[in-house]
Amino acid sequence: MLPASFQSLLSQELDDLRDAGLFKDERIITGAQGARVRLADGREVLNLCANNYLGLADHPEVRAAAAQALEDRGYGMASVRFICGTQDRHRELEQRLSAFLGKEDTLLFAACFDANGGAFEPLLGPEDAIVSDQLNHASLIDGIRLCKARRFRYKNNDPADLDARLREAREGGARHIMVATDGVFSMDGVIADLRGIVETAERHSATVLVDDCHATGFLGARGRGTHEHHGVMERVDFLTGTLGKALGGASGGYISGPRDAIALLRQRSRPYLFSNTLAPPIVGATLKVLDLLENSAAWRNRLMQNTARYRAGLAQTGLATKGDTHPIVPVMVGDAALSQRVAARLLELGVYAVGFFHPVVPRGEARIRTQISAAHAPADIDFALEQWAKVQAEFRL
Ligand SMILES: *Cc1c(COP(=O)(O)O)cnc(C)c1O
């Protein structure tokens, strides 16, 4: 039993969260992930809040590949990779991801959270420095904290400020410097200026690591990610990414980069060494996803068409949005409480989207973050726009 003082502290913290309106309830859905999801009350609503960008989370060929892998290679690994947890297909997937991303080698992790957590500490020490974007994902922040390198932070997506911080790091005597950035800032739907970042890093002989979770599979001419989108594929040294978003949406992560760096991570990266890797059905399904994406642009074309239709429709309403072309489309409402009322009304109207407010985004910049998928039909996009028009009139947005 918890001591009474501990117990009362916990319940006080929970009450504080509820009082501040910051308590997060999990919404239960009772079917597969898709353009529409079934809620616990039986209603089916249009889903505008999944990271299922390419609509592959419940694709029949992906399901079949997962089932086949379950038959061929079993359910669980029951071991970490270096004992007896590496199947032929794990290496095959690492090689396929390397080729897809244009990198020399790849290391799989149970999640991208783990990839970011284990990426820095083995490669950089107290003589080194990491220069990181102020809006980077929590997992990059944690990974950087676990590393003894000196830490510098630059203004969001600002190569000029990056330049100043890199100069500071160099003048401080740093041996190696690594720049870390998200490829896409997920609260804003903004694609990082990787060209500016890479050029700045190169001027200071710094290495660049990009977390491309919200881009791999669909940004760039061949869907390889933000580095392809900006024409700097070879100039980004490391990419981390997830299998839990566009690439099928199950779970799993990876880091791709130069051969020797990946080889050292394979020796020293703690989330890799001390945790099981992916279950065979995920490996089999991800290999199928890569087959699909390498052989057809259909999914990413549909995603981009849907996104363009949605962004153009919202622009006509005059609602304020952020970003230019990315399928993450935040609709700005400003006030935190208002964002919760708007999200609740959208749900009544059959559209599921979530309101985000401080501390996840700056105070006074609350927003409804909507996300478009290739699984949506044009009629779904139009339905969403019609509901937005109603909500806009009701709340005078
Ligand atoms: C989703 C996300 C992660 C975490 O990915 P998981 O594989 O679910 O752990 C890491 N970084 C960014 C930028 C993300 O969006």
Side-chain angles (χ1 to χ4, degrees), residues 34-35 45-50 310 346 351-354 369-373 376 380-381 384-385 388:
V45 292
L46 182 66
N47 182 7
L48 289 190
C49 53
Y310 182 63
L346 281 168
V351 174
Y352 182 22
V354 174
R369 185 176 74 169
T370 55
Q371 290 171 283
I372 300 304
S373 168
H376 294 134
D380 292 327
I381 303 297
L385 291 168
W388 267 120

Side-chain angles (χ1 to χ4, degrees), residues 37 44 103 115 151 155 175 193 232 280 286 296 344 352 388:
V37 284
E44 244 193 24
K103 296 292 148 225
R151 301 195 284 266
K155 289 196 192 116
R175 181 183 58 175
D193 174 14
V232 292
T286 310
S296 168
Y352 182 22
W388 267 120

